[in-house]
Amino acid sequence: MVLSFRERHGLSGSFAAESAFLRGLGRCVGLEPIEAKLDLGLVVERLDAGDSFVYVHDKRVDEAGHTKDPQKKQRAIEGSTLSCRPCPPTGRLSASPATTPRRPRRR
């Protein structure tokens, strides 16, 4: 049995992604799936509704990471519309692109 995110970490959250597969993964750990394009207003709305966090999967950053070119991924992160900055009026931080290094794919 997989513990929900709330059970494991004491936080509630949402997972915004264009991919149904990724939203399903979020649902498996108890995150509220949101089918949406990148929208900072949505992040603020979910935080105001009581979510502890909103994870937003930015496909552009993900695709840049697959090139194995760190400068390309850096430019994608810097160009993301969801950079880490205060969200008015809550003052909390918005979602930021994940920068977790990936393991090389086996072929």
Side-chain angles (χ1 to χ4, degrees), residues 2 9 21 25 27-29 32 41-42 50 65-66 82 97:
V2 176
H9 302 287
F21 172 76
L25 287 177
R27 185 187 310 258
C28 287
V29 295
E32 181 68 30
L42 175 66
H66 292 302
L82 288 176

Side-chain angles (χ1 to χ4, degrees), residues 57-77:
H57 180 263
D58 187 335
K59 198 170 188 175
R60 297 167 300 176
V61 174
D62 192 36
E63 289 171 352
H66 292 302
T67 67
K68 308 293 187 225
D69 179 348
Q71 284 78 32
K72 188 170 186 174
K73 185 165 184 174
Q74 179 181 356
R75 287 189 301 273
I77 292 169

Side-chain angles (χ1 to χ4, degrees), residues 6-89:
R6 179 184 289 275
E7 292 168 328
R8 186 171 179 145
H9 302 287
L11 302 170
S12 62
S14 300
F15 191 111
E18 293 179 42
S19 163
F21 172 76
L22 293 175
R23 287 191 311 274
L25 287 177
R27 185 187 310 258
C28 287
V29 295
L31 300 178
E32 181 68 30
I34 303 167
E35 183 176 357
K37 298 281 186 186
L38 298 178
D39 179 359
L40 187 57
L42 175 66
V43 172
V44 173
E45 186 179 304
R46 296 301 302 192
L47 292 172
D48 286 344
D51 281 351
S52 303
F53 69 96
V54 178
Y55 178 88
V56 179
H57 180 263
D58 187 335
K59 198 170 188 175
R60 297 167 300 176
V61 174
D62 192 36
E63 289 171 352
H66 292 302
T67 67
K68 308 293 187 225
D69 179 348
Q71 284 78 32
K72 188 170 186 174
K73 185 165 184 174
Q74 179 181 356
R75 287 189 301 273
I77 292 169
E78 291 171 346
S80 175
T81 58
L82 288 176
S83 61
C84 192
R85 60 181 178 260
C87 293

